[in-house]
Coordinates of all heavy atoms in Angstrom, one line a residue:
M1 N 0.8 -1.2 0.0 CA 0.0 0.0 0.0 C 0.9 1.3 0.0 O 1.8 1.4 0.8 CB -0.9 0.0 1.3 CG -1.9 1.1 1.3 SD -3.0 0.9 2.8 CE -2.7 2.5 3.6
V2 N 0.6 2.1 -0.9 CA 1.4 3.4 -1.0 C 0.5 4.6 -0.5 O -0.6 4.8 -0.9 CB 1.8 3.6 -2.4 CG1 2.6 4.9 -2.5 CG2 2.6 2.5 -3.0
L3 N 1.1 5.2 0.5 CA 0.4 6.3 1.0 C 0.6 7.6 0.2 O 1.7 7.8 -0.2 CB 0.9 6.7 2.5 CG 0.4 5.7 3.6 CD1 1.0 6.1 4.9 CD2 -1.1 5.6 3.7
K4 N -0.4 8.3 0.1 CA -0.3 9.6 -0.7 C 0.5 10.5 0.1 O 0.2 10.8 1.3 CB -1.6 10.2 -1.0 CG -1.7 10.9 -2.3 CD -3.2 11.2 -2.7 CE -3.6 12.6 -2.3 NZ -5.0 12.9 -2.6
K5 N 1.5 11.0 -0.4 CA 2.4 12.0 0.3 C 2.4 13.3 -0.3 O 2.4 13.5 -1.5 CB 3.9 11.4 0.3 CG 4.2 10.5 1.4 CD 5.3 11.0 2.2 CE 5.4 10.3 3.6 NZ 6.4 10.9 4.5
C6 N 2.3 14.3 0.6 CA 2.2 15.7 0.2 C 3.7 16.2 0.0 O 4.5 16.0 0.9 CB 1.6 16.5 1.2 SG 1.8 18.3 1.1
P7 N 4.0 16.7 -1.2 CA 5.4 17.1 -1.4 C 5.8 18.3 -0.5 O 7.0 18.4 -0.1 CB 5.4 17.6 -2.9 CG 4.0 17.7 -3.2 CD 3.2 16.9 -2.3
G8 N 4.9 19.0 0.0 CA 5.2 20.1 1.0 C 5.8 19.6 2.2 O 6.5 20.3 3.0
Q9 N 5.5 18.3 2.6 CA 6.0 17.8 3.9 C 7.1 16.8 3.7 O 7.5 16.2 4.6 CB 4.8 17.2 4.7 CG 3.8 18.1 5.2 CD 4.3 19.2 6.1 OE1 5.2 18.9 6.9 NE2 3.6 20.3 6.3
D10 N 7.6 16.7 2.5 CA 8.6 15.7 2.1 C 9.9 16.3 2.6 O 10.5 17.2 2.0 CB 8.6 15.4 0.7 CG 9.6 14.3 0.3 OD1 10.4 13.9 1.2 OD2 9.5 13.8 -0.8
L11 N 10.5 15.8 3.7 CA 11.7 16.4 4.2 C 12.9 16.3 3.3 O 13.8 17.1 3.3 CB 12.1 15.7 5.5 CG 11.1 16.0 6.7 CD1 11.6 15.3 7.9 CD2 10.9 17.5 6.9
S12 N 12.9 15.3 2.4 CA 14.1 15.2 1.5 C 14.1 16.3 0.5 O 15.2 16.6 0.0 CB 14.0 13.8 0.8 OG 12.8 13.8 0.0
R13 N 13.0 17.0 0.3 CA 13.0 18.1 -0.6 C 13.2 19.4 0.2 O 13.3 20.5 -0.4 CB 11.6 18.3 -1.3 CG 11.4 17.1 -2.2 CD 10.1 17.4 -3.0 NE 9.7 16.2 -3.7 CZ 8.9 16.2 -4.7 NH1 8.5 17.4 -5.2 NH2 8.5 15.2 -5.3
K14 N 13.3 19.4 1.5 CA 13.4 20.6 2.2 C 14.8 20.9 2.6 O 15.6 19.9 2.8 CB 12.6 20.5 3.5 CG 11.1 20.6 3.3 CD 10.4 21.0 4.6 CE 9.0 21.3 4.4 NZ 8.4 22.1 5.5
K15 N 15.2 22.1 2.6 CA 16.5 22.5 3.1 C 16.5 22.5 4.6 O 15.5 22.7 5.2 CB 16.9 23.9 2.6 CG 17.2 23.9 1.1 CD 17.7 25.2 0.7 CE 17.0 25.8 -0.5 NZ 16.6 27.1 -0.4
I16 N 17.6 22.3 5.2 CA 17.7 22.2 6.7 C 17.2 23.5 7.4 O 16.5 23.4 8.4 CB 19.1 21.8 7.2 CG1 19.1 21.4 8.7 CG2 20.1 22.9 6.9 CD1 18.6 20.0 8.9
E17 N 17.4 24.6 6.7 CA 16.9 25.9 7.3 C 15.5 25.9 7.4 O 14.8 26.7 8.2 CB 17.4 27.1 6.6 CG 18.9 27.1 6.3 CD 19.2 26.4 4.9 OE1 19.0 27.0 3.8 OE2 19.7 25.3 5.0
E18 N 14.8 25.1 6.5 CA 13.3 25.2 6.5 C 12.7 24.4 7.5 O 11.5 24.5 7.8 CB 12.8 24.8 5.1 CG 13.2 25.9 4.0 CD 12.9 25.4 2.6 OE1 12.7 24.2 2.4 OE2 12.9 26.2 1.7
V19 N 13.4 23.4 8.0 CA 12.8 22.5 9.0 C 13.3 22.7 10.4 O 12.8 22.1 11.4 CB 13.0 21.0 8.6 CG1 12.3 20.7 7.3 CG2 14.5 20.6 8.5
V20 N 14.4 23.5 10.5 CA 14.9 23.8 11.9 C 14.8 25.3 12.2 O 15.0 26.1 11.2 CB 16.4 23.4 11.9 CG1 17.0 23.8 13.2 CG2 16.5 21.9 11.8
C21 N 14.3 25.6 13.3 CA 14.4 27.0 13.7 C 15.0 27.2 15.1 O 14.9 26.2 15.9 CB 13.0 27.7 13.6 SG 11.9 27.3 14.8
N22 N 15.6 28.3 15.4 CA 16.2 28.5 16.6 C 15.3 29.6 17.4 O 15.0 30.6 16.9 CB 17.6 29.0 16.5 CG 18.5 28.0 16.0 OD1 18.6 26.9 16.6 ND2 19.2 28.2 14.9
L23 N 15.0 29.2 18.6 CA 14.3 30.1 19.5 C 15.1 30.4 20.8 O 15.7 29.4 21.2 CB 12.9 29.6 19.8 CG 11.9 29.3 18.7 CD1 10.7 28.7 19.3 CD2 11.5 30.6 18.0
P24 N 15.1 31.6 21.2 CA 16.0 31.9 22.4 C 15.2 31.4 23.6 O 14.1 31.4 23.8 CB 16.1 33.5 22.4 CG 14.8 33.9 21.6 CD 14.6 32.8 20.6
C25 N 16.1 30.8 24.5 CA 15.6 30.3 25.8 C 15.1 31.5 26.6 O 15.8 32.5 26.7 CB 16.7 29.6 26.6 SG 16.4 29.3 28.3
P26 N 13.8 31.5 27.2 CA 13.4 32.6 27.9 C 14.1 32.9 29.2 O 14.0 34.0 29.8 CB 11.9 32.3 28.2 CG 11.8 30.8 28.1 CD 12.9 30.4 27.1
F27 N 14.8 31.9 29.7 CA 15.6 32.0 30.9 C 17.0 32.5 30.8 O 17.4 33.5 31.4 CB 15.6 30.6 31.6 CG 16.1 30.7 33.1 CD1 15.4 31.2 34.1 CD2 17.4 30.2 33.3 CE1 15.9 31.3 35.4 CE2 17.9 30.3 34.6 CZ 17.1 30.8 35.7
C28 N 17.8 31.9 29.9 CA 19.1 32.3 29.7 C 19.5 32.9 28.3 O 20.6 33.4 28.2 CB 20.1 31.1 30.0 SG 20.0 29.9 28.8
G29 N 18.5 32.9 27.4 CA 18.8 33.5 26.2 C 19.6 32.6 25.2 O 19.8 33.0 24.0
E30 N 20.0 31.4 25.6 CA 20.6 30.5 24.7 C 19.7 30.1 23.5 O 18.5 29.9 23.7 CB 21.0 29.2 25.5 CG 21.7 28.1 24.7 CD 23.2 28.4 24.6 OE1 23.8 29.2 25.3 OE2 23.8 27.8 23.6
E31 N 20.2 29.9 22.4 CA 19.4 29.5 21.2 C 19.1 28.0 21.4 O 20.0 27.2 21.5 CB 20.2 29.8 19.9 CG 20.5 31.2 19.6 CD 19.5 31.8 18.6 OE1 19.6 31.4 17.4 OE2 18.6 32.6 19.0
V32 N 17.8 27.7 21.3 CA 17.4 26.3 21.3 C 16.9 25.9 20.0 O 16.2 26.6 19.3 CB 16.3 26.1 22.3 CG1 15.9 24.6 22.5 CG2 16.7 26.8 23.7
E33 N 17.5 24.8 19.5 CA 17.2 24.4 18.1 C 15.9 23.5 18.1 O 15.8 22.5 18.8 CB 18.4 23.5 17.6 CG 18.3 23.3 16.1 CD 19.6 22.7 15.6 OE1 19.7 21.4 15.9 OE2 20.4 23.3 15.0
F34 N 15.0 23.9 17.3 CA 13.7 23.2 17.2 C 13.6 22.5 15.8 O 13.8 23.2 14.8 CB 12.5 24.1 17.3 CG 12.2 24.5 18.7 CD1 12.9 25.4 19.3 CD2 11.1 23.9 19.3 CE1 12.6 25.8 20.7 CE2 10.8 24.3 20.6 CZ 11.5 25.3 21.3
F35 N 13.4 21.2 15.7 CA 13.1 20.6 14.5 C 11.6 20.9 14.2 O 10.9 21.3 15.1 CB 13.3 19.1 14.6 CG 13.5 18.5 13.3 CD1 14.5 18.9 12.4 CD2 12.7 17.4 12.8 CE1 14.6 18.3 11.2 CE2 12.8 16.8 11.6 CZ 13.8 17.2 10.8
F36 N 11.2 20.9 12.9 CA 9.9 21.4 12.6 C 8.7 20.8 13.4 O 7.8 21.5 13.6 CB 9.7 21.3 11.0 CG 9.2 20.0 10.6 CD1 7.8 19.8 10.3 CD2 9.9 18.9 10.6 CE1 7.3 18.6 9.9 CE2 9.5 17.6 10.2 CZ 8.2 17.5 9.9
D37 N 8.9 19.6 13.8 CA 7.7 19.0 14.5 C 7.9 19.0 16.0 O 7.1 18.4 16.8 CB 7.4 17.6 14.0 CG 8.5 16.7 14.3 OD1 9.7 17.1 14.5 OD2 8.3 15.4 14.2
D38 N 8.9 19.7 16.5 CA 9.1 19.8 18.0 C 8.2 20.9 18.5 O 8.2 22.0 18.0 CB 10.6 20.1 18.3 CG 11.5 19.0 18.1 OD1 11.1 17.8 18.2 OD2 12.7 19.2 17.8
K39 N 7.6 20.5 19.6 CA 6.7 21.5 20.2 C 7.5 22.1 21.4 O 7.4 23.2 21.7 CB 5.4 20.9 20.7 CG 4.4 21.8 21.3 CD 3.3 22.2 20.4 CE 2.6 23.5 20.9 NZ 1.4 23.4 21.6
T40 N 8.2 21.2 22.2 CA 9.0 21.7 23.3 C 10.4 21.1 23.3 O 10.5 20.0 22.8 CB 8.3 21.4 24.7 OG1 8.1 20.0 24.7 CG2 7.0 22.1 24.9
R41 N 11.3 21.8 23.7 CA 12.7 21.3 23.8 C 13.3 21.8 25.1 O 12.9 22.9 25.6 CB 13.6 21.9 22.6 CG 13.1 21.4 21.3 CD 13.6 20.1 20.9 NE 15.1 20.2 20.6 CZ 15.8 19.2 20.3 NH1 15.3 18.0 20.3 NH2 17.1 19.3 20.0
K42 N 14.3 21.1 25.5 CA 15.0 21.5 26.7 C 16.2 22.4 26.3 O 16.9 22.0 25.4 CB 15.6 20.3 27.4 CG 15.0 20.1 28.8 CD 15.6 19.0 29.5 CE 14.9 18.6 30.8 NZ 15.4 17.4 31.5
C43 N 16.4 23.5 27.0 CA 17.5 24.4 26.7 C 18.8 23.5 27.1 O 18.9 23.0 28.1 CB 17.4 25.6 27.6 SG 18.9 26.6 27.5
P44 N 19.8 23.5 26.1 CA 21.0 22.8 26.3 C 21.9 23.4 27.4 O 22.7 22.7 28.0 CB 21.7 22.9 25.0 CG 21.2 24.1 24.3 CD 19.7 24.2 24.8
S45 N 21.6 24.7 27.7 CA 22.5 25.3 28.7 C 21.9 25.3 30.1 O 22.6 25.1 31.0 CB 22.7 26.8 28.2 OG 23.1 27.6 29.2
C46 N 20.6 25.6 30.3 CA 20.1 25.7 31.6 C 18.9 24.6 31.9 O 18.3 24.6 33.0 CB 19.6 27.0 31.9 SG 18.1 27.5 31.0
S47 N 18.6 23.8 30.9 CA 17.5 22.8 31.0 C 16.2 23.3 31.2 O 15.3 22.6 31.6 CB 17.9 21.8 32.1 OG 19.1 21.1 31.8
T48 N 16.0 24.6 30.9 CA 14.6 25.1 31.0 C 13.8 24.5 29.8 O 14.3 24.3 28.7 CB 14.6 26.6 30.9 OG1 15.3 27.1 32.0 CG2 13.2 27.2 30.8
K49 N 12.6 24.2 30.0 CA 11.7 23.7 28.9 C 11.2 24.9 28.1 O 10.7 25.9 28.6 CB 10.5 23.0 29.5 CG 10.2 21.7 28.7 CD 9.2 20.8 29.5 CE 7.8 21.0 28.8 NZ 6.8 20.2 29.5
V50 N 11.6 24.9 26.8 CA 11.3 26.0 25.9 C 10.2 25.5 25.0 O 10.3 24.4 24.3 CB 12.5 26.4 25.1 CG1 12.1 27.6 24.2 CG2 13.7 26.7 26.0
S51 N 9.1 26.2 24.8 CA 8.0 25.8 24.0 C 7.9 26.7 22.8 O 8.1 27.9 22.8 CB 6.6 26.0 24.7 OG 6.6 25.2 25.9
K52 N 7.7 26.0 21.6 CA 7.5 26.8 20.4 C 6.1 27.3 20.5 O 5.2 26.6 20.9 CB 7.6 25.8 19.3 CG 7.7 26.5 17.9 CD 7.5 25.5 16.8 CE 8.8 24.9 16.4 NZ 8.7 23.9 15.2
S53 N 5.9 28.5 20.1 CA 4.5 29.1 20.1 C 3.6 28.4 19.1 O 4.1 27.9 18.1 CB 4.5 30.6 19.8 OG 4.8 30.8 18.5
D54 N 2.3 28.3 19.3 CA 1.4 27.7 18.4 C 1.5 28.4 17.0 O 1.3 27.7 16.0 CB 0.0 27.8 18.9 CG -0.2 26.8 20.1 OD1 0.7 25.9 20.3 OD2 -1.2 27.0 20.9
I55 N 1.6 29.7 17.0 CA 1.7 30.4 15.8 C 2.9 29.9 15.0 O 2.8 29.6 13.7 CB 1.7 31.9 16.0 CG1 0.4 32.3 16.6 CG2 2.1 32.7 14.8 CD1 0.4 33.7 17.2
Q56 N 4.1 29.7 15.6 CA 5.3 29.3 15.0 C 5.1 27.8 14.4 O 5.5 27.5 13.3 CB 6.5 29.4 15.9 CG 7.8 28.9 15.3 CD 8.3 29.9 14.2 OE1 8.2 31.1 14.4 NE2 8.7 29.3 13.1
L57 N 4.4 27.0 15.2 CA 4.1 25.7 14.9 C 3.3 25.6 13.6 O 3.6 24.8 12.7 CB 3.4 25.0 16.1 CG 3.3 23.4 16.0 CD1 4.6 22.8 16.2 CD2 2.4 23.0 17.1
L58 N 2.3 26.4 13.6 CA 1.4 26.4 12.4 C 2.2 26.9 11.2 O 2.0 26.4 10.1 CB 0.2 27.4 12.6 CG -0.9 26.8 13.5 CD1 -2.0 27.8 13.7 CD2 -1.5 25.5 12.9
K59 N 3.0 27.9 11.4 CA 3.8 28.4 10.3 C 4.7 27.4 9.7 O 4.9 27.2 8.5 CB 4.7 29.6 10.8 CG 4.9 30.7 9.7 CD 5.7 31.8 10.3 CE 7.1 31.8 9.8 NZ 8.1 32.4 10.6
D60 N 5.3 26.6 10.6 CA 6.2 25.5 10.2 C 5.5 24.4 9.4 O 6.1 23.8 8.5 CB 7.0 24.9 11.4 CG 7.9 25.9 12.0 OD1 8.2 27.0 11.4 OD2 8.5 25.6 13.1
F61 N 4.3 24.1 9.8 CA 3.6 23.1 9.1 C 3.1 23.5 7.7 O 2.9 22.7 6.9 CB 2.5 22.6 10.0 CG 2.9 21.5 11.0 CD1 3.0 21.8 12.3 CD2 3.3 20.3 10.5 CE1 3.4 20.9 13.2 CE2 3.7 19.3 11.4 CZ 3.9 19.6 12.8
G62 N 2.8 24.8 7.6 CA 2.4 25.3 6.3 C 1.2 24.6 5.7 O 0.1 24.6 6.2
C63 N 1.5 23.8 4.7 CA 0.4 23.2 3.9 C -0.4 22.2 4.6 O -1.5 21.8 4.2 CB 1.0 22.6 2.6 SG 1.9 21.0 3.0
A64 N 0.1 21.6 5.7 CA -0.6 20.6 6.5 C -1.9 21.2 7.0 O -2.9 20.4 7.3 CB 0.2 20.1 7.6
D65 N -2.0 22.5 7.0 CA -3.3 23.1 7.5 C -4.5 22.8 6.5 O -5.6 22.7 7.0 CB -3.0 24.6 7.6 CG -4.1 25.4 8.3 OD1 -4.9 24.7 9.0 OD2 -4.3 26.6 8.0
W66 N -4.2 22.8 5.3 CA -5.3 22.5 4.3 C -5.2 21.3 3.5 O -6.1 20.9 2.8 CB -5.4 23.8 3.4 CG -4.1 24.2 2.8 CD1 -3.2 25.1 3.2 CD2 -3.4 23.5 1.7 NE1 -2.1 25.2 2.4 CE2 -2.1 24.2 1.4 CE3 -3.7 22.5 0.8 CZ2 -1.2 23.9 0.4 CZ3 -2.8 22.2 -0.2 CH2 -1.6 22.9 -0.4
C67 N -4.0 20.7 3.5 CA -3.8 19.5 2.6 C -4.5 18.3 3.1 O -4.5 18.0 4.3 CB -2.3 19.2 2.6 SG -1.8 17.8 1.5
N68 N -5.2 17.6 2.2 CA -6.0 16.4 2.6 C -5.1 15.3 2.9 O -5.5 14.4 3.7 CB -6.8 16.0 1.4 CG -8.0 16.9 1.2 OD1 -8.5 17.6 2.1 ND2 -8.4 17.1 -0.1
A69 N -3.9 15.2 2.5 CA -2.9 14.1 2.8 C -2.2 14.4 4.1 O -1.4 13.6 4.5 CB -1.9 13.9 1.6
A70 N -2.5 15.5 4.7 CA -1.7 15.9 5.9 C -1.7 14.8 7.0 O -0.7 14.5 7.6 CB -2.2 17.2 6.5
E71 N -2.8 14.2 7.2 CA -2.9 13.2 8.3 C -2.0 12.0 8.0 O -1.3 11.5 8.9 CB -4.4 12.8 8.5 CG -4.5 12.0 9.8 CD -5.9 11.9 10.3 OE1 -6.9 12.3 9.6 OE2 -6.2 11.2 11.3
N72 N -2.0 11.6 6.7 CA -1.1 10.5 6.3 C 0.4 10.9 6.4 O 1.2 10.1 6.8 CB -1.4 10.0 4.9 CG -2.7 9.2 4.9 OD1 -3.1 8.6 5.9 ND2 -3.2 9.1 3.7
C73 N 0.7 12.1 6.0 CA 2.0 12.6 5.9 C 2.6 12.6 7.3 O 3.8 12.2 7.5 CB 2.0 14.1 5.5 SG 2.0 14.3 3.7
L74 N 1.9 13.3 8.2 CA 2.4 13.6 9.5 C 2.2 12.5 10.5 O 3.0 12.4 11.5 CB 1.7 14.9 10.0 CG 1.8 16.1 9.1 CD1 0.9 17.2 9.7 CD2 3.3 16.6 9.1
G75 N 1.3 11.6 10.2 CA 1.0 10.7 11.3 C -0.1 11.3 12.1 O -0.2 12.5 12.3
S76 N -1.1 10.5 12.7 CA -2.2 11.1 13.4 C -1.8 11.8 14.7 O -2.4 12.8 15.0 CB -3.2 10.0 13.7 OG -2.7 8.7 13.7
D77 N -0.8 11.4 15.4 CA -0.3 12.1 16.6 C 0.0 13.5 16.3 O -0.5 14.5 16.9 CB 0.9 11.4 17.2 CG 0.5 10.1 17.9 OD1 -0.7 9.9 17.9 OD2 1.4 9.5 18.5
L78 N 0.8 13.7 15.3 CA 1.3 15.0 14.9 C 0.2 15.9 14.3 O 0.0 17.1 14.6 CB 2.4 14.9 13.9 CG 3.5 15.9 13.8 CD1 4.0 16.2 15.2 CD2 4.6 15.5 12.9
Y79 N -0.7 15.2 13.6 CA -1.8 15.9 13.0 C -2.7 16.4 14.1 O -3.2 17.6 14.0 CB -2.6 14.9 12.1 CG -3.7 15.6 11.2 CD1 -3.4 16.5 10.2 CD2 -5.0 15.2 11.5 CE1 -4.4 17.1 9.5 CE2 -6.0 15.8 10.7 CZ -5.7 16.7 9.7 OH -6.7 17.3 9.0
I80 N -3.0 15.6 15.1 CA -3.8 16.1 16.2 C -3.2 17.2 16.9 O -3.9 18.2 17.2 CB -4.1 14.9 17.2 CG1 -5.1 13.9 16.5 CG2 -4.7 15.4 18.5 CD1 -5.2 12.5 17.1
K81 N -1.9 17.1 17.1 CA -1.1 18.2 17.8 C -1.3 19.5 17.0 O -1.6 20.6 17.5 CB 0.3 17.8 17.8 CG 1.1 18.5 18.9 CD 2.3 17.7 19.3 CE 3.5 17.9 18.3 NZ 4.7 17.3 18.7
L82 N -1.2 19.4 15.7 CA -1.3 20.6 14.8 C -2.7 21.2 14.9 O -2.9 22.4 15.0 CB -1.0 20.2 13.4 CG -1.2 21.3 12.4 CD1 -0.2 22.4 12.5 CD2 -1.1 20.8 11.0
K83 N -3.7 20.3 14.9 CA -5.1 20.8 15.0 C -5.4 21.5 16.3 O -6.1 22.5 16.4 CB -6.1 19.6 14.8 CG -6.3 19.2 13.3 CD -7.2 18.1 13.2 CE -8.7 18.7 13.1 NZ -9.7 17.6 12.8
Q84 N -4.8 20.9 17.4 CA -5.0 21.5 18.7 C -4.3 22.9 18.7 O -4.8 23.8 19.3 CB -4.4 20.6 19.8 CG -5.3 19.5 20.1 CD -4.6 18.4 21.0 OE1 -3.4 18.4 21.1 NE2 -5.4 17.5 21.5
A85 N -3.1 23.0 18.1 CA -2.4 24.3 18.0 C -3.2 25.3 17.3 O -3.3 26.4 17.7 CB -1.0 24.0 17.4
K86 N -3.8 24.8 16.2 CA -4.7 25.8 15.4 C -5.9 26.3 16.2 O -6.2 27.4 16.2 CB -5.1 25.0 14.2 CG -5.6 26.0 13.1 CD -6.2 25.3 12.0 CE -6.9 26.3 11.1 NZ -7.8 25.7 10.1
E87 N -6.5 25.3 16.9 CA -7.6 25.8 17.8 C -7.2 26.8 18.8 O -7.9 27.7 19.1 CB -8.2 24.5 18.5 CG -9.3 23.9 17.5 CD -9.6 22.4 18.0 OE1 -9.5 22.2 19.2 OE2 -9.9 21.6 17.2
G88 N -6.0 26.5 19.4 CA -5.5 27.4 20.4 C -5.3 28.8 19.8 O -5.4 29.8 20.6
C89 N -4.9 28.9 18.6 CA -4.7 30.2 17.9 C -5.9 31.0 17.5 O -5.9 32.1 17.6 CB -3.9 29.9 16.6 SG -2.2 29.6 16.8
T90 N -6.8 30.2 17.1 CA -8.1 30.9 16.5 C -9.1 31.2 17.6 O -9.9 32.0 17.4 CB -8.7 30.0 15.4 OG1 -8.8 28.7 15.9 CG2 -7.8 29.9 14.2
K91 N -9.0 30.5 18.7 CA -10.0 30.7 19.8 C -9.7 32.1 20.4 O -8.6 32.4 20.7 CB -9.7 29.7 20.9 CG -11.0 28.9 21.2 CD -10.7 27.9 22.3 CE -10.9 26.5 21.8 NZ -10.3 25.5 22.8
P92 N -10.8 32.9 20.6 CA -10.6 34.2 21.2 C -10.2 34.0 22.7 O -10.8 33.1 23.4 CB -12.0 34.9 21.1 CG -12.9 33.8 20.7 CD -12.1 32.6 20.2
K93 N -9.3 34.8 23.1 CA -8.8 34.6 24.5 C -9.7 35.3 25.5 O -10.1 36.4 25.2 CB -7.4 35.0 24.6 CG -6.5 34.1 23.7 CD -5.4 33.5 24.5 CE -4.8 32.3 23.8 NZ -3.7 32.6 23.0
Ligands
ZN1 ZN1 18.4 28.3 28.9

C-alpha cells in the first residue's frame, strides 16, 4: 500500500533551514534548536523547557493546514497536535 504523500511535507525536498528554527531560551537566552515538529525542547544550557508558540508551529507546518494528505504525511499524533495548536490560535482569549 502506498500512502499519498504531500510534497510540501517531504523532508528530503526541504532544506535544513526550512525544517529547523532557533528560538531563544526565555531564561538564559541560549538559542534552542527546534526541528519542525518539535513543540517543546530543553535548553542545552540551563535545561529550561522551551515551547514553540502555536503560531510558529502552524507556520512551520504550512500546507498541512489545508492539505488532505496531511494526516497521512504527518501521522495522526502530529496531525492532532497541529489541529490543537490551530484551535489554540483561533480561539478568542
Ligand atoms: Zn536556557
Side-chain angles (χ1 to χ4, degrees):
M1 186 175 125
V2 181
L3 286 178
K4 211 165 103 185
K5 272 236 165 190
C6 165
Q9 295 294 337
D10 186 348
L11 291 181
S12 62
R13 294 188 192 202
K14 286 199 173 201
K15 288 189 230 132
I16 193 76
E17 310 89 76
E18 290 171 346
V19 296
V20 172
C21 74
N22 289 305
L23 297 175
C25 168
F27 188 74
C28 71
E30 180 80 23
E31 296 259 287
V32 184
E33 196 174 70
F34 282 78
F35 201 57
F36 82 104
D37 63 343
D38 287 330
K39 180 108 202 255
T40 55
R41 296 276 289 176
K42 243 186 190 174
C43 172
S45 160
C46 70
S47 298
T48 297
K49 221 166 103 180
V50 184
S51 301
K52 192 194 270 183
S53 73
D54 287 343
I55 290 163
Q56 183 67 42
L57 193 69
L58 284 177
K59 213 180 105 201
D60 289 352
F61 276 109
C63 73
D65 190 23
W66 48 263
C67 180
N68 288 331
E71 193 165 1
N72 281 340
C73 276
L74 302 171
S76 23
D77 284 358
L78 208 51
Y79 187 66
I80 287 164
K81 205 158 80 172
L82 174 67
K83 281 182 82 172
Q84 283 169 346
K86 199 190 167 192
E87 277 164 28
C89 282
T90 50
K91 236 182 246 166
K93 296 237 159 92

